[in-house]
Amino acid sequence: MWTAERNRNPRSGEPAAELGRVTLGGDPAGVSLGGERRWIGVYGPGGYSWRPTAGDKVLVLKAGAEGETPCLLGVPQEETGLKPGEVRLKGGESSVFLGQDRLELEGSLYLNGQTLWDVVEEIVIALLG
């Protein structure tokens, strides 16, 4: 069986990975790679989930013996000015920044479905009440 695999000719002229443009957001996604491909699975690091948006530029890996299974891996990084070891997670207008000496949160902050302000108010009332 391994000799049969060894004699297979991979698709000539087709790269193992390509940059494409998302045509249908979500998971699975649709991506334009010279022609539109649909039902492309979306992958990311363990514990991290995301959904590409139509118009996103993405990296697509062509998995399988003959590249028959495309997988959407991610988007190019934006110029962020991050220092080594720093991380920024962004979704819409919200972000979390883990810096070398600080943590920054942007956007509305909720704790168990309540705004942080409401949680603090409940604590203060319980302490004073």
Side-chain angles (χ1 to χ4, degrees):
M1 179 171 160
W2 69 271
T3 55
E5 290 291 325
R6 203 171 91 190
N7 290 332
R8 276 187 158 166
N9 294 326
R11 292 181 185 177
S12 62
E14 194 168 312
E18 279 187 76
L19 288 177
R21 186 78 55 188
V22 175
T23 57
L24 180 64
D27 182 9
V31 177
S32 176
L33 299 169
E36 186 179 39
R37 302 283 300 267
R38 293 213 173 173
W39 297 100
I40 297 178
V42 177
Y43 294 81
Y48 180 84
S49 297
W50 68 287
R51 298 293 178 262
T53 302
D56 284 350
K57 188 175 183 179
V58 293
L59 176 63
V60 177
L61 173 69
K62 296 175 183 171
E66 295 180 8
E68 71 277 4
T69 308
C71 307
L72 198 153
L73 297 179
V75 298
Q77 292 191 46
E78 298 174 2
E79 181 58 43
T80 59
L82 293 175
K83 296 176 184 169
E86 294 182 335
V87 176
R88 177 174 285 114
L89 300 175
K90 187 171 182 185
E93 298 300 316
S94 300
S95 68
V96 176
F97 171 74
L98 304 170
Q100 294 179 356
D101 60 354
R102 69 187 188 280
L103 166 67
E104 294 179 16
L105 303 172
E106 289 188 30
S108 299
L109 183 59
Y110 285 78
L111 183 62
N112 293 328
Q114 292 183 309
T115 66
L116 183 59
W117 178 258
D118 290 341
V119 171
V120 170
E121 186 177 49
E122 284 181 15
I123 292 171
V124 169
I125 290 171
L127 289 172
L128 298 176

